[in-house]
Amino acid sequence: MASRQRLYRWLYRLGFTPWDGHQLAKGLRELIEGDDALTPGKAIDLGCGTGDNSIYLAKHGWQVIGVDFVAAAVDKARAKAAADGVDVRFTCADVTRLSAEGVGHDFSLIVDSGCLHGMSDDDRDAYVREVAAVAAPRARLSIVAFIPGGTFGVPGIAESEVKRRFAADWTLLSSGDEPAMDHNGKNPARHYLFARAG
């Protein structure tokens, strides 16, 4: 985890953030604005970066906290939310330690657009545990992740691994292809929607 944090802090310092500014995931838009849209409630945006998903959710009536471990990203997210006139709480925290970081609990929506796919196996274990710890009963979990083999520099995560990791506490409601999450279109992604058991 420490080496990943150093890498992302360095990239933000350089201003090299190719994950910023892409379109919102179609899976998330469908969840928020589709025919069976969720009723707004409490949401947490994991690995929020500069806050695009968090701001989008707040504009649609959600009470949102955006979490990222890079302070520069959180600072930019706060500035963007203020410029858009929306109320979002952004905090610098580690998604593998959510319950210890004091971010809250009983979130009815958990959003990850590009966080899980860059983690090590150990961090993924902790992430899954912590997501369950902060989720409300019957919460929805929306994940968008690169598949393995892309050129962006993250390992990606296979659909079979995503399903396996969340099988104990979550039910997969849907999954599908997502347009590439980068500007050159070379990194295919998938979206997953889970419901918390119970």
Side-chain angles (χ1 to χ4, degrees):
M1 175 65 122
S3 63
R4 185 168 57 88
Q5 289 177 343
R6 281 192 298 273
L7 171 64
Y8 280 98
R9 286 184 183 118
W10 180 72
L11 291 171
Y12 271 103
R13 209 171 296 126
L14 288 176
F16 181 69
T17 56
W19 51 86
D20 260 348
H22 56 76
Q23 281 190 337
L24 294 175
K26 70 177 184 180
L28 180 60
R29 288 193 317 267
E30 179 66 24
L31 191 61
I32 301 305
E33 299 181 68
D35 293 338
D36 295 317
L38 295 177
T39 301
K42 283 176 58 178
I44 186 168
D45 182 9
L46 304 177
C48 68
T50 60
D52 292 339
N53 285 338
S54 298
I55 291 166
Y56 167 76
L57 290 169
K59 286 180 175 179
H60 286 84
W62 290 82
Q63 178 187 347
V64 188
I65 179 169
V67 174
D68 204 287
F69 62 75
V70 179
V74 170
D75 290 343
K76 287 182 181 181
R78 287 178 181 141
K80 283 167 74 171
D84 273 354
V86 294
D87 182 24
V88 179
R89 179 180 155 216
F90 290 104
T91 189
C92 201
D94 182 343
V95 298
T96 67
R97 297 176 31 86
L98 291 171
S99 51
E101 298 274 10
V103 299
H105 54 85
D106 288 332
F107 292 101
S108 57
L109 176 61
I110 300 165
V111 174
D112 170 349
S113 186
C115 186
L116 176 64
H117 67 198
M119 295 181 167
S120 69
D121 282 347
D122 287 344
D123 285 344
R124 288 175 181 180
D125 290 341
Y127 170 99
V128 171
R129 181 187 66 243
E130 291 299 307
V131 164
V134 301
R138 295 176 296 283
R140 296 297 186 264
L141 169 61
S142 173
I143 297 174
V144 177
F146 288 150
I147 63 172
T151 60
F152 189 64
V154 294
I157 187 167
E159 181 170 5
S160 59
E161 182 180 349
V162 175
K163 290 177 178 178
R164 175 180 57 80
R165 286 189 176 276
F166 290 96
D169 295 313
W170 299 83
T171 301
L172 182 65
L173 300 179
S174 64
S175 66
D177 292 333
E178 190 69 39
M181 291 173 27
D182 60 2
H183 299 293
N184 62 18
K186 294 182 179 177
N187 288 287
R190 289 191 61 78
H191 65 261
Y192 307 90
L193 177 63
F194 290 92
R196 175 76 189 272

